[in-house]
Amino acid sequence: MVAGAAGQRLGREFRWLWTAYAVSVCGTRLAFDALPLIAVLVLDVGPAEVSALAATGLAVGAAVAVPLGPWVEFRRKRPVMIGTDLLRAGALLTVPAAYALDLLSFPQLLLVSVVVAAADITFGAASGAFLKSLVPPEHLLAANGRFEATNWTATMLGPPLGGAAIGLLGPVVTLVTDAVSYLLSATALRAIGDTERPAGRPSKHPAPPAHPAHSGEAPADGTPPEPAAPRLRARELLEGWRYILTSPALRPLFLNTILVNGLIMATAPLLLVLMVGELGFTPWQYGLAFALPCVGGLIGSRLARRLVARHGQHRVLLATGALRACWPVGLAFIHPGATGLVLVMAVELGLITCMGVFNPVMATYRLDETPPDRVARTLSAWSVTSKLTIAVLTAVWGLLAAATGPRTAVAAAGALLLATPLLLPRHRPARPSPKDDTAELKG
């Protein structure tokens, strides 16, 4: 799917990795909110159960994923990614099977949401580390830009198509599609071939050293021996957070992105209540207001590489990181009618365009600043913290909305977001020279 010379530079292996990502993200966006919809349409649960389903999947799934970051670090990433794809597919397929047998229950939906959330975090940690080993550093931004463009395209098209499919074919059809997308993703990852080097090689970046021992004899097929993972200790569970919080480059970016994402996601259910419940917008208008602006993510992801080439990575990171925080406060001024709908679209278009630039630049910056033997743990810690923060802030903002009203709560989140650019890294710390890293890797 990579066209022209750029695709040739990224290579065949990346094209398969991108294919795997594309099919799985399309399936996921098509099945957007499928579990809550099934809970409402099939099990006839109320708002409290739907909220519990969302919060439990995030919080418990993140907690389950905590020990998986260190576990993934010292294993080959491609088999882990294939395994989590198969696990997610299997978990999702239990729902239509139980539905067909009239055995579906709310506890089953809770369990499936936890398994999928934990597998999502584990897959993300493994895929980030795999991407860094697969793509040369000078092409990481191009690769992340393609992922970002694919994500926003799927986000723009998936939910409306998924809603139509549910209306025509029933409540579990999109969940089956999502499960099949994970199976196709696993197939594409398998097509990459076993080109991955042994995991867990140390680096000279300032972090507590890892000591993976090699397992000894090579397999009969000549595959390089898999490093034996060190015994998982309590301190290893916190290794990702320790590296992030002691890194002058990553710590401010971590705090910024966690808070920004948490505040934006915390207001999502409040906007639904405000627009549909209080202002009288129809569900299709609500969906349209948030689907069409996703074209901004596609535009931003296409601009990211050009902006970095012209202005530099750090300057683009600061500018778009600050700009993305300026838009959400405008949502506090939503009003009924066509002009109110246009206001939401304009705010979301500005926000998503800035995010479309910021996200791939941030992902590349994060990989650049993370040594190879810390990537899985760092990304896992980052994702776990993000999901837990979203769960907590969603609950807090729900209480705030109950006390003050949705509009006031949305305005409060927007006002806090205006302060988040202060957390962005003002200066990029000096990094060790590539020569030193190469020497260490060969040692």
Side-chain angles (χ1 to χ4, degrees):
M1 294 174 66
V2 180
Q8 295 303 316
R9 287 196 300 269
L10 289 167
R12 182 191 70 86
E13 292 83 1
F14 174 78
R15 290 196 292 275
W16 279 116
L17 179 63
W18 189 21
T19 298
Y21 176 81
V23 295
S24 65
V25 77
C26 287
T28 299
R29 296 296 179 262
L30 194 71
F32 181 71
D33 278 348
L35 290 179
L37 282 172
I38 290 171
V40 172
L41 297 175
V42 177
L43 301 179
D44 197 27
V45 303
E49 289 87 353
V50 173
S51 298
L53 181 62
T56 301
L58 286 174
V60 180
V64 170
V66 168
L68 296 178
W71 180 83
V72 169
E73 193 75 76
F74 304 107
R75 285 165 174 80
R76 294 181 186 277
K77 308 306 182 289
R78 190 176 66 98
V80 171
M81 294 158 66
I82 293 172
T84 52
D85 269 342
L86 296 178
L87 178 62
R88 288 182 288 188
L92 291 174
L93 286 174
T94 65
V95 175
Y99 173 76
L101 297 172
D102 199 23
L103 297 174
L104 188 63
S105 66
F106 186 71
Q108 179 184 354
L109 295 184
L110 285 174
L111 181 59
V112 170
S113 69
V114 168
V115 171
V116 171
D120 284 345
I121 295 173
T122 306
F123 183 94
S127 64
F130 186 67
L131 178 66
K132 181 162 182 171
S133 69
L134 192 68
V135 175
E138 64 270 20
H139 297 322
L140 275 176
L141 179 57
N144 283 315
R146 283 169 171 77
F147 288 139
E148 187 72 11
T150 303
N151 177 59
W152 286 114
T153 302
T155 303
M156 179 171 56
L157 300 177
L161 293 176
I166 289 175
L168 291 173
L169 302 173
V172 299
V173 63
T174 57
L175 213 59
V176 173
T177 304
D178 194 16
V180 171
S181 76
Y182 288 126
L183 296 177
L184 294 175
S185 172
T187 302
L189 291 171
R190 186 174 177 81
I192 293 175
D194 191 10
T195 60
E196 190 176 359
R197 69 185 183 190
R201 295 184 184 273
S203 73
K204 283 188 68 175
H205 288 256
H211 302 286
H214 288 275
S215 57
E217 296 183 2
D221 62 1
T223 303
E226 178 80 9
R231 186 173 59 186
L232 190 60
R233 300 173 182 173
R235 74 184 305 273
E236 286 292 324
L237 299 180
L238 303 177
E239 191 63 41
W241 286 279
R242 184 179 295 112
Y243 180 73
I244 292 170
L245 296 177
T246 56
S247 167
L250 294 184
R251 183 175 60 250
L253 187 64
F254 172 73
L255 297 174
N256 172 270
T257 56
I258 294 302
L259 186 57
V260 169
N261 292 341
L263 288 171
I264 290 175
M265 295 304 296
T267 59
L270 307 184
L271 288 169
L272 173 61
V273 173
L274 178 61
M275 292 182 66
V276 178
E278 296 187 7
L279 299 180
F281 290 102
T282 62
W284 75 264
Q285 288 174 319
Y286 173 79
L288 186 69
F290 292 95
L292 281 184
C294 289
V295 71
L298 184 59
I299 294 170
S301 62
R302 302 283 295 189
L303 289 175
R305 193 161 48 145
R306 298 178 188 177
L307 290 173
V308 168
R310 176 173 295 185
H311 301 290
Q313 184 189 55
H314 193 257
R315 184 175 295 178
V316 172
L317 191 73
L318 285 177
T320 55
L323 286 173
R324 85 194 200 283
C326 298
W327 294 94
V329 70
L331 295 172
F333 301 98
I334 301 175
H335 52 273
T339 56
L341 193 64
V342 171
L343 172 63
V344 176
M345 290 183 179
V347 169
E348 289 295 316
L349 179 63
L351 170 64
I352 293 173
T353 302
C354 292
M355 293 175 66
V357 178
F358 177 85
N359 288 345
V361 177
M362 182 277 291
T364 302
Y365 179 94
R366 184 172 57 187
L367 287 176
D368 287 343
E369 296 294 336
T370 306
D373 61 337
R374 294 290 182 273
V375 174
R377 283 170 288 183
T378 298
L379 296 183
S380 178
W382 204 295
S383 185
V384 165
T385 307
S386 179
K387 290 184 181 297
L388 289 175
T389 302
I390 290 171
V392 170
L393 289 181
T394 299
V396 170
W397 251 254
L399 295 175
L400 179 62
T404 65
R407 189 184 298 274
T408 302
V410 169
L416 284 176
L417 280 165
L418 293 175
T420 56
L422 297 175
L423 296 173
L424 288 166
R426 312 312 300 177
H427 305 286
R428 186 166 192 165
R431 298 167 58 199
S433 68
K435 181 178 180 180
D436 290 342
D437 290 344
T438 303
E440 180 70 18
L441 287 171
K442 290 181 178 179

